Structures are given as structure tokens and as C-alpha cells.
Amino acid sequence: MSRDNPSVVIYGTGGHSKVVYEILAIKQIPVAGFMDKDESRSGSMHNGRPYFGTHKLLGKKPYPFDAAVIAIGDNKLRKELTELFLEHSIPIISVVHPESIVSPGVHLGRGCCICAGAVVGPGTTLGEGVIINSGAVVDHDCELGDFTHVAPHTTLCGGVTCGKLTFIGAGATVIQEIKIGENTIIGAGSTVLSHIPSNVTAFGTPARLKVAVNKKS
């Protein structure tokens, strides 16, 4: 394995892992294999690559890879797995599709994924483990907290702030200078016209709070 062109393990075998695998292939980053929670598949193949097994492999050096991508859409699980890999001194890399547009001034945290057709504007800060999904627009001077997920074709106008572990559903629009709290869900297709607190679900046009709050992380 070359440290100049490190081989990567993809944790996850669902839909998001297919997206990550494609980005790595396009960028000619070698994929050593896959891992996920299914212990029974150890020793099998997935997408033509070895299936190494579960996180129980961690700690059993030498590893058959140099770095990892956590290809899990669930924010809390992605956070837990990222912390687990880092505890075992395994680097977590970011993946950026070449057909996305990312301003040179963007701060990109460790373990981010920016998918095809996404646009990330100047002055924007992405925390650790952020997903900007296909066709999403994150305009200038936005700030997205760790392990936030912006779903396909969402639009965040300039100066939007999202707290950590927040999910913005597909096709939602958040107008400029809005603040959305931590661990909050914005429903698909919603239009957010006012600030949204932490630990809630909001949906509709304009987006309104659901009575039940989300379980804190």
C-alpha cells in the first residue's frame, strides 16, 4: 500500500456507499474493500472488492487499508463510527465529486462528502463529517456543524447556520441568514423562513415545528 496514493476502506454498503465508491473510482483513489455491521458476510465480495467485516476488525493490525470513508447517511451513526476509527488512529478522508463546484475559500472539515452537482459558495465552513448531497446548493458564508446532512436539491441561501447533527430534507429551501439548531430535522420540500431551534422537527411552507422533539445525541 502506498502512502502517496493510500487505499481506502468504505464503511457502509448501502446507497450512499455506492455514491462514495463512484467518486473514489473517478478520482482514481484505490478502494481496498468494504465494512459494515453485518458480521455474517466476512470473507465475501462486494462491488468486486473484499468485505472485511464489522468494526470488530479495528485493533487487529496490520489493517488491509490506509484510510477510511464513513459512507453512512445517518448523522449520529456516522459520528459514532468516525470517532471509533479515529480512536484506532485510522485517518478519515473527505471525498469531493469532480462535477461539484466548491469555492476555493471553503473550509472543508475531515470526512466530508460533496456529491455530483453540488455547489458550495465562498466563505462557507463545513464541519467534520458533513454530507452535501447531489445537486444541493450551499451559498456563500454558510456554516454547517459537524455531521450535518444536506439532502439532494436542497438550497441554503447565504449566511445560513446549521448546528451539528442536523438533517435538511430533499428539496428544502432555507432563506438567507436563518439559524437552525443542533440535531434538528427539516422535512423534504419545506421552506424555512424563520429561525428553528435545536432538537425539533420542522416541515411545511413556511416550516412549522412538530410538537415532538428529537432525542438528544
Side-chain angles (χ1 to χ4, degrees), residues 23-148:
I23 297 172
L24 293 173
I26 291 171
K27 302 191 80 169
Q28 299 184 333
I29 298 173
V31 175
F34 291 83
M35 297 172 68
D36 74 7
K37 62 182 180 180
D38 188 353
E39 196 165 4
S40 68
R41 296 172 57 196
S42 298
S44 64
M45 301 291 285
H46 181 77
N47 276 356
R49 296 290 190 275
Y51 180 84
F52 297 131
T54 74
H55 63 276
K56 293 179 182 179
L57 171 70
L58 303 181
K60 299 178 182 179
K61 297 181 180 180
Y63 300 123
F65 48 82
D66 299 305
V69 177
I70 309 301
I72 300 289
D74 180 276
N75 292 342
K76 293 177 184 177
L77 181 56
R78 189 167 67 259
K79 176 179 183 290
E80 291 170 5
L81 289 166
T82 295
E83 291 171 349
L84 182 62
F85 274 75
L86 293 175
E87 283 175 9
H88 289 86
S89 301
I90 299 168
I92 304 292
I93 68 168
S94 293
V95 291
V96 179
H97 198 288
E99 293 184 9
S100 63
I101 299 172
V102 180
S103 170
V106 169
H107 172 79
L108 194 67
R110 174 175 52 197
C112 289
C113 178
I114 301 179
C115 300
V119 177
V120 185
T124 287
T125 297
L126 304 182
E128 187 173 7
V130 171
I131 296 175
I132 308 297
N133 225 313
S134 305
V137 175
V138 179
D139 210 344
H140 64 87
D141 300 308
C142 290
E143 184 174 346
L144 276 61
D146 294 346
F147 305 103
T148 291

